[in-house]
Amino acid sequence: MRSARTHVLKQGTFMAITIKTGTIDDVTAVSKHIPELLTTIDNQTVQKRLNNKKALILVAYLEDTLVGFKIGYEQSTTQFYSWLGGVHFKYRRLGIAKKLLIHQEQWAAEQGYKHIHVKSMNRFPQMLTMLITNGYHISGYVDKQSTMQSKIKFVKQLAK
């Protein structure tokens, strides 16, 4: 996947956002700045989840600063699962999460996947809004016997 570069206006200055493939080390580095992640994201956790799966790790840079990531992997030959992502708390509201989402969708479609699946929680209203706004549909609910831990399942049909 080639990297993509766009520009945003931040504090009166245009700054370049670049999305490209990344590494597990990139993920662990930026995850330290994402307070919503309830557990530490370490290399072993990510490696274990991605082990023997076709996967994609995307990272976002604002100029030369690593500011976000998005990880997904194959569930079947037709389904891709968007597992985990986030944006550094200092660099939010610049459209970075949406750019990561769009690049992941494009890559998944290019690989031949028909659907992309994701789970989120009510406590992340901005994520829920972004998913619905970008064509994701609620497909189910996972009850963890705690309102705070329950998850909403989403699915989006990818372009043919």
Side-chain angles (χ1 to χ4, degrees):
M1 172 179 229
R2 66 185 197 288
S3 66
R5 191 176 179 106
T6 58
H7 293 83
V8 295
L9 184 63
K10 185 172 190 288
Q11 298 173 347
T13 306
F14 281 102
M15 302 184 80
I17 297 173
T18 305
I19 307 294
K20 59 185 180 180
T21 55
T23 66
I24 293 174
D25 287 338
D26 294 332
V27 170
T28 57
V30 76
S31 70
K32 296 172 186 168
H33 305 285
I34 301 172
E36 295 85 358
L37 296 176
L38 300 176
T39 59
T40 303
I41 303 300
D42 58 45
N43 288 24
Q44 293 80 13
T45 300
V46 177
Q47 189 63 45
K48 184 177 178 183
R49 178 63 74 106
L50 302 182
N51 193 32
N52 295 321
K53 295 178 179 133
K54 185 175 181 180
L56 174 67
I57 299 173
L58 291 174
V59 292
Y61 285 86
L62 185 61
E63 295 296 324
D64 295 325
T65 304
L66 177 63
V67 297
F69 73 92
K70 193 151 189 69
I71 305 171
Y73 56 85
E74 181 176 87
Q75 285 187 307
S76 73
T77 57
T78 61
Q79 295 182 4
F80 190 78
Y81 181 64
S82 181
W83 171 46
L84 188 62
V87 175
H88 188 300
F89 69 91
K90 290 183 180 179
Y91 300 97
R92 295 188 178 169
R93 300 212 178 270
L94 298 174
I96 295 166
K98 183 174 179 175
K99 290 181 189 323
L100 286 162
L101 176 90
I102 290 168
H103 277 79
Q104 185 181 65
E105 289 174 3
Q106 290 171 342
W107 181 88
E110 289 168 2
Q111 301 306 304
Y113 298 106
K114 304 298 181 207
H115 299 95
I116 192 163
H117 295 254
V118 65
K119 295 176 192 165
S120 192
M121 299 180 196
N122 277 328
R123 65 184 186 168
F124 302 131
Q126 292 171 330
M127 179 66 173
L128 299 175
T129 300
M130 183 177 71
L131 290 169
I132 292 167
T133 302
N134 285 282
Y136 287 77
H137 300 280
I138 295 172
S139 63
Y141 186 74
V142 178
D143 186 356
K144 301 261 186 174
Q145 300 190 348
S146 160
T147 304
M148 294 301 289
Q149 296 301 314
S150 296
K151 295 183 179 182
I152 302 165
K153 296 191 228 179
F154 291 86
V155 64
K156 180 176 183 177
Q157 184 171 343
L158 297 172
K160 296 175 182 177

mmCIF file of all heavy atoms in Angstrom, residues 5-6 30 69 79 95 105 115 120 124 128:
data_model
loop_
_atom_site.group_PDB
_atom_site.id
_atom_site.type_symbol
_atom_site.label_atom_id
_atom_site.label_comp_id
_atom_site.label_asym_id
_atom_site.label_seq_id
_atom_site.Cartn_x
_atom_site.Cartn_y
_atom_site.Cartn_z
ATOM 1 N N ARG A 5 -0.961 11.320 1.522
ATOM 2 C CA ARG A 5 -0.644 12.544 2.235
ATOM 3 C C ARG A 5 -1.750 13.565 1.991
ATOM 4 O O ARG A 5 -2.126 13.814 0.855
ATOM 5 C CB ARG A 5 0.702 13.076 1.751
ATOM 6 C CG ARG A 5 1.266 14.181 2.569
ATOM 7 C CD ARG A 5 2.656 14.520 1.993
ATOM 8 N NE ARG A 5 3.241 15.582 2.727
ATOM 9 C CZ ARG A 5 4.238 15.438 3.591
ATOM 10 N NH1 ARG A 5 4.739 14.250 3.804
ATOM 11 N NH2 ARG A 5 4.731 16.465 4.224
ATOM 12 N N THR A 6 -2.280 14.114 3.060
ATOM 13 C CA THR A 6 -3.256 15.188 2.974
ATOM 14 C C THR A 6 -2.820 16.283 3.939
ATOM 15 O O THR A 6 -1.880 16.107 4.706
ATOM 16 C CB THR A 6 -4.676 14.712 3.341
ATOM 17 O OG1 THR A 6 -4.650 14.167 4.656
ATOM 18 C CG2 THR A 6 -5.188 13.679 2.368
ATOM 19 N N VAL A 30 2.485 4.822 20.119
ATOM 20 C CA VAL A 30 1.399 5.814 20.145
ATOM 21 C C VAL A 30 0.292 5.418 21.113
ATOM 22 O O VAL A 30 -0.400 6.286 21.660
ATOM 23 C CB VAL A 30 0.860 6.105 18.731
ATOM 24 C CG1 VAL A 30 -0.033 4.998 18.223
ATOM 25 C CG2 VAL A 30 0.123 7.426 18.685
ATOM 26 N N PHE A 69 -3.003 5.106 14.897
ATOM 27 C CA PHE A 69 -2.856 3.786 14.285
ATOM 28 C C PHE A 69 -4.215 3.138 14.108
ATOM 29 O O PHE A 69 -5.195 3.528 14.741
ATOM 30 C CB PHE A 69 -1.954 2.885 15.134
ATOM 31 C CG PHE A 69 -2.595 2.400 16.400
ATOM 32 C CD1 PHE A 69 -3.283 1.184 16.439
ATOM 33 C CD2 PHE A 69 -2.531 3.143 17.563
ATOM 34 C CE1 PHE A 69 -3.883 0.733 17.601
ATOM 35 C CE2 PHE A 69 -3.129 2.703 18.739
ATOM 36 C CZ PHE A 69 -3.804 1.503 18.754
ATOM 37 N N GLN A 79 -14.353 -11.561 4.903
ATOM 38 C CA GLN A 79 -14.556 -10.629 6.016
ATOM 39 C C GLN A 79 -13.249 -10.154 6.624
ATOM 40 O O GLN A 79 -12.378 -10.961 6.940
ATOM 41 C CB GLN A 79 -15.396 -11.282 7.112
ATOM 42 C CG GLN A 79 -16.791 -11.602 6.680
ATOM 43 C CD GLN A 79 -17.613 -12.211 7.807
ATOM 44 O OE1 GLN A 79 -17.170 -12.327 8.940
ATOM 45 N NE2 GLN A 79 -18.836 -12.605 7.490
ATOM 46 N N GLY A 95 -9.390 14.897 11.810
ATOM 47 C CA GLY A 95 -9.792 13.961 10.772
ATOM 48 C C GLY A 95 -8.864 12.775 10.610
ATOM 49 O O GLY A 95 -8.970 12.027 9.632
ATOM 50 N N GLU A 105 -10.433 0.643 4.789
ATOM 51 C CA GLU A 105 -11.509 0.157 3.913
ATOM 52 C C GLU A 105 -11.010 -0.045 2.481
ATOM 53 O O GLU A 105 -11.319 -1.055 1.854
ATOM 54 C CB GLU A 105 -12.670 1.146 3.895
ATOM 55 C CG GLU A 105 -13.461 1.206 5.165
ATOM 56 C CD GLU A 105 -14.506 2.317 5.143
ATOM 57 O OE1 GLU A 105 -14.657 3.008 4.106
ATOM 58 O OE2 GLU A 105 -15.191 2.486 6.160
ATOM 59 N N HIS A 115 -16.857 -7.531 3.247
ATOM 60 C CA HIS A 115 -17.400 -6.831 4.410
ATOM 61 C C HIS A 115 -16.278 -6.488 5.380
ATOM 62 O O HIS A 115 -15.297 -7.228 5.486
ATOM 63 C CB HIS A 115 -18.412 -7.706 5.159
ATOM 64 C CG HIS A 115 -19.578 -8.088 4.326
ATOM 65 N ND1 HIS A 115 -19.633 -9.276 3.640
ATOM 66 C CD2 HIS A 115 -20.721 -7.433 4.042
ATOM 67 C CE1 HIS A 115 -20.775 -9.340 2.982
ATOM 68 N NE2 HIS A 115 -21.452 -8.244 3.202
ATOM 69 N N SER A 120 -17.606 -1.499 18.864
ATOM 70 C CA SER A 120 -17.329 -0.312 19.670
ATOM 71 C C SER A 120 -18.271 -0.314 20.865
ATOM 72 O O SER A 120 -19.086 -1.225 21.012
ATOM 73 C CB SER A 120 -17.486 0.964 18.838
ATOM 74 O OG SER A 120 -16.951 2.067 19.552
ATOM 75 N N PHE A 124 -17.973 5.460 23.691
ATOM 76 C CA PHE A 124 -17.178 6.130 22.659
ATOM 77 C C PHE A 124 -18.099 6.736 21.608
ATOM 78 O O PHE A 124 -18.119 6.304 20.446
ATOM 79 C CB PHE A 124 -16.205 5.146 21.998
ATOM 80 C CG PHE A 124 -15.259 4.481 22.962
ATOM 81 C CD1 PHE A 124 -15.090 3.110 22.933
ATOM 82 C CD2 PHE A 124 -14.533 5.219 23.890
ATOM 83 C CE1 PHE A 124 -14.213 2.481 23.808
ATOM 84 C CE2 PHE A 124 -13.662 4.605 24.776
ATOM 85 C CZ PHE A 124 -13.500 3.230 24.735
ATOM 86 N N LEU A 128 -18.798 5.880 17.461
ATOM 87 C CA LEU A 128 -20.094 5.406 16.970
ATOM 88 C C LEU A 128 -20.603 6.318 15.850
ATOM 89 O O LEU A 128 -21.068 5.842 14.810
ATOM 90 C CB LEU A 128 -21.116 5.348 18.100
ATOM 91 C CG LEU A 128 -20.783 4.417 19.268
ATOM 92 C CD1 LEU A 128 -21.818 4.562 20.374
ATOM 93 C CD2 LEU A 128 -20.648 2.986 18.820
#
